[in-house]
Each structure stands twice: as C-alpha cells, then as structure tokens.
Amino acid sequence: MQEWEERAYELQEAREQGMECGIQAMVLDNLEEGIPKEKILLKLRKLFSLDASKAEAYFERFSKTGL
C-alpha cells in the first residue's frame, strides 16, 4: 500500500470514529431527555444518513452503555 493510500485509510477511520462518537452522544442525550426510541431512530436516520437497520444497530449498541 502506498503512503497516500495509508493516509486515506487513516482519514476514513478517523471520520468513522468521529461519527460514532457523535451518534453515541446523540443517543445518550436523547435518552436522558426522555425522547422515545422511535424518534431517536428517525433523528439518526436524518442527521447521519443511516438506513433503518444501521440506525437500529447504533441505537442498540449505544443505549446499552448507560447514562
């Protein structure tokens, strides 16, 4: 792998990690505010351009981390 390819891969990884941090913060904040699951899922789909199954997976993953 060339140096520029490695750098592009690292940048993509960093973007994905940043997006996951944002999703986690949004899920936990909305749960803390008492927002219903379905509304949180809609927000995830809209704000992060996720399909329904991906939004559900992130919700399940991060809602279990607790408040």
Side-chain angles (χ1 to χ4, degrees):
M1 190 180 290
Q2 297 211 354
E3 186 177 328
W4 68 268
E5 290 174 311
E6 289 177 22
R7 183 70 180 138
Y9 177 78
E10 290 170 358
L11 287 172
Q12 181 62 29
E13 287 290 310
R15 275 190 215 103
E16 289 174 10
Q17 288 176 352
M19 186 175 96
E20 286 192 354
C21 285
I23 290 171
Q24 181 179 25
M26 198 210 88
V27 168
L28 293 176
D29 182 61
N30 277 265
L31 287 172
E32 187 176 304
E33 295 296 321
I35 306 298
K37 175 183 176 179
E38 292 306 315
K39 189 164 185 177
I40 296 171
L41 292 174
L42 289 173
K43 288 181 178 185
L44 287 174
R45 293 182 68 189
K46 179 181 176 186
L47 297 173
F48 294 96
S49 302
L50 301 174
D51 62 35
S53 64
K54 204 62 153 158
E56 179 77 30
Y58 277 124
F59 179 86
E60 292 302 320
R61 177 177 164 196
F62 295 129
S63 65
K64 290 178 178 23
T65 60
L67 299 174

